Amino acid sequence: MNKLDKQYQELLQSILDYGVEKKDRTGTGTKSIFGYTIRHKMSEGFPLLTTKKMPFKTMVTELLWFLRGDTNIKFLVDNNCHIWDGDAYKNYCTAYKDGHEFYEDEQVKRSFTQEEFIDKIKTDDEFAKKWGELGPVYGAQWRSWGNFFYDNPDPDGDGFRHLKVDQITTLINDLKTNPDSRRLMVNAWNVGELDQMVLPPCHYGFQVYTRELSEKERYRIFDERGYEFMMNNWSKEEQYNKAGIPTRAISLMWNQRSVDTFLGLPFNIASYGLLLEILAKEVNMVPDQLIGNLGDTHLYLNHIEQAKEQIGREPFELPTLKHMKTDEFYKSLSEDLSLVTHLETTDFVIENYHSHPTIKAPLSN
């Protein structure tokens, strides 16, 4: 039974029933509740909603963009992912209105439409380098969090040194060396750089948690992979280890301050589900629980009818995720922690995905 879609539909109904109307920065207006939790067992299927068709490749592209440490929409646009187009274009329009002389070519010293702007990002590398940049958003914080700390005073300087922290590499290393740590966290809410971002992080941090698998759980994996016990002096545990059967399960919990429940949340659920799958592969663990802690959880007022339509749909069974990279590939990268930089959008395939049609809704920027 697909419990995830049911949870999501219950959340939509809760906002309709109990939400209060609030103004917001976009001028659209919302119905909002505060505080909600979604929980999903990864063993029950990949968390891609079925009550409306979800663009899986778009979600994968955005997550890999984060993991690359990229903050320019050029990679997204080139891969037909347009989630951040509006934010980049809004930044461009603000600069134009402020009288900023943004480009030397006389023919573009005017305001582009958003379509023209995105076409320019695709075709002009110099323009994309300048106007496709979003500031130190997720990718920068995940892979190169900036920090100043006091070092030996330099007579010719201020005595401070700039340190860049790769939180993803640190997380993977800690999972391999200290999996019971309570510090397995990644944070995107860098208060010293919020004013440099086109949009402060909505999902601002995540934490992972691991536990040991029982012998029964390890046997089930052993059996599902088609192994049989060998008639020798090895114990069951030795045979599980020889076959590379994981010893631990890994769960992920993300925290989100602002939740566009109709358009954004389905992406967030699937994205963190995929991130959990990637981390599990990297450290040879089993994906376990996916948990979302949601703050200001809202429906935009121009999404109300769409939400009602989705509530009335009967869910299908959840799909499954297929990793196109082999286990040998993952093992070959286990020493240099470089898996996340070697992944492509084609490395993940969704199987047995049955869904209701797309429900269109406007995006508020």
Side-chain angles (χ1 to χ4, degrees):
M1 178 182 175
N2 177 355
K3 299 176 184 176
L4 180 64
D5 270 278
K6 288 294 185 183
Q7 285 187 73
Y8 179 75
Q9 289 171 316
E10 289 170 4
L11 170 56
L12 292 177
Q13 190 64 58
S14 293
I15 297 173
L16 293 177
D17 291 343
Y18 307 113
V20 297
E21 288 203 16
K22 296 185 67 175
K23 298 177 181 179
D24 73 289
R25 65 174 178 84
T26 71
T28 307
T30 66
K31 288 199 77 172
S32 170
I33 61 174
F34 184 60
Y36 203 91
T37 299
I38 284 183
R39 304 182 75 98
H40 172 65
K41 291 183 179 180
M42 295 296 288
S43 60
E44 295 177 354
F46 186 77
L48 195 66
L49 294 185
T50 68
T51 43
K52 66 178 177 184
K53 186 175 178 59
M54 293 291 299
F56 176 70
K57 184 182 177 184
T58 298
M59 180 275 296
V60 175
T61 301
E62 185 194 37
L63 177 61
L64 296 188
W65 179 66
F66 293 160
L67 290 172
R68 288 160 57 101
D70 201 344
T71 57
N72 193 296
I73 66 167
K74 173 70 171 171
F75 173 81
L76 300 177
V77 169
D78 288 347
N79 284 277
N80 198 32
C81 175
H82 298 285
I83 297 172
W84 289 84
D85 287 7
D87 296 291
Y89 181 64
K90 185 177 180 180
N91 188 50
Y92 159 86
C93 288
T94 299
Y96 180 81
K97 289 176 183 176
D98 288 346
H100 187 92
E101 192 164 306
F102 49 83
Y103 206 66
E104 293 181 358
D105 189 337
E106 290 294 334
Q107 68 178 355
V108 297
K109 284 187 178 177
R110 62 177 177 82
S111 178
F112 287 129
T113 65
Q114 184 165 326
E115 184 178 350
E116 291 172 328
F117 174 78
I118 296 305
D119 186 63
K120 196 73 175 174
I121 294 289
K122 288 181 182 178
T123 58
D124 188 325
D125 289 344
E126 285 301 312
F127 185 86
K129 184 177 180 180
K130 185 167 188 176
W131 293 106
E133 181 56 47
L134 302 175
V137 293
Y138 298 98
Q141 304 308 329
W142 285 15
R143 303 309 305 271
S144 57
W145 174 288
N147 188 28
F148 287 93
F149 68 97
Y150 190 72
D151 204 351
N152 292 327
D154 180 355
D156 300 320
D158 58 10
F160 286 86
R161 190 150 59 93
H162 196 199
L163 176 68
K164 293 290 186 179
V165 179
D166 185 339
Q167 295 188 83
I168 297 297
T169 295
T170 299
L171 174 65
I172 291 171
N173 182 64
D174 288 348
L175 280 167
K176 291 178 178 180
T177 59
N178 188 15
D180 282 322
S181 172
R182 295 187 290 269
R183 302 175 183 180
L184 303 172
M185 301 175 63
V186 170
N187 193 356
W189 193 261
N190 188 339
V191 294
E193 296 184 344
L194 292 179
D195 62 343
Q196 301 170 44
M197 305 176 191
V198 297
L199 183 69
C202 293
H203 42 103
Y204 59 86
F206 67 90
Q207 180 178 356
V208 297
Y209 170 94
T210 79
R211 64 173 178 85
E212 291 187 355
L213 293 171
S214 66
E215 192 280 330
K216 183 177 180 180
E217 289 174 311
R218 295 193 79 195
Y219 172 73
R220 187 181 69 247
I221 299 168
F222 185 84
D223 184 59
E224 288 174 349
R225 294 185 181 180
Y227 291 109
E228 295 182 358
F229 288 118
M230 299 173 62
M231 301 301 293
N232 54 29
N233 294 326
W234 290 352
S235 67
K236 284 185 177 181
E237 182 176 1
E238 288 172 328
Q239 296 203 44
Y240 294 153
N241 293 341
K242 185 70 173 177
I245 304 302
T247 61
R248 285 182 173 263
I250 180 172
S251 296
L252 183 149
M253 177 176 70
W254 85 91
N255 296 299
Q256 190 158 346
R257 64 171 180 87
S258 176
V259 186
D260 175 353
T261 307
F262 189 77
L263 287 180
L265 182 57
F267 268 83
N268 303 138
I269 295 170
S271 181
Y272 277 106
L274 181 58
L275 178 59
L276 177 53
E277 289 272 0
I278 291 172
L279 291 172
K281 274 286 189 180
E282 172 72 19
V283 297
N284 192 31
M285 295 183 188
V286 178
D288 197 5
Q289 297 274 341
L290 178 68
I291 304 160
N293 289 325
L294 313 178
D296 185 323
T297 310
H298 50 265
L299 279 170
Y300 283 101
L301 296 181
N302 54 4
H303 294 171
I304 300 296
E305 294 307 312
Q306 292 92 327
K308 291 177 179 178
E309 180 180 352
Q310 190 166 357
I311 289 170
R313 293 178 170 183
E314 190 63 30
F316 295 95
E317 289 300 309
L318 290 176
T320 55
L321 177 72
K322 182 177 181 180
H323 294 261
M324 301 306 290
K325 299 287 192 187
T326 64
D327 287 343
E328 287 68 26
F329 171 83
Y330 285 96
K331 291 175 184 176
S332 71
L333 294 174
S334 62
E335 294 303 318
D336 64 8
L337 307 175
S338 58
L339 168 62
V340 294
T341 60
H342 284 74
L343 293 173
E344 304 292 339
T345 56
T346 54
D347 290 336
F348 305 97
V349 173
I350 284 294
E351 296 183 330
N352 302 314
Y353 182 48
H354 304 288
S355 73
H356 290 270
T358 301
I359 304 176
K360 294 188 178 297
L363 177 64
S364 295
N365 288 118

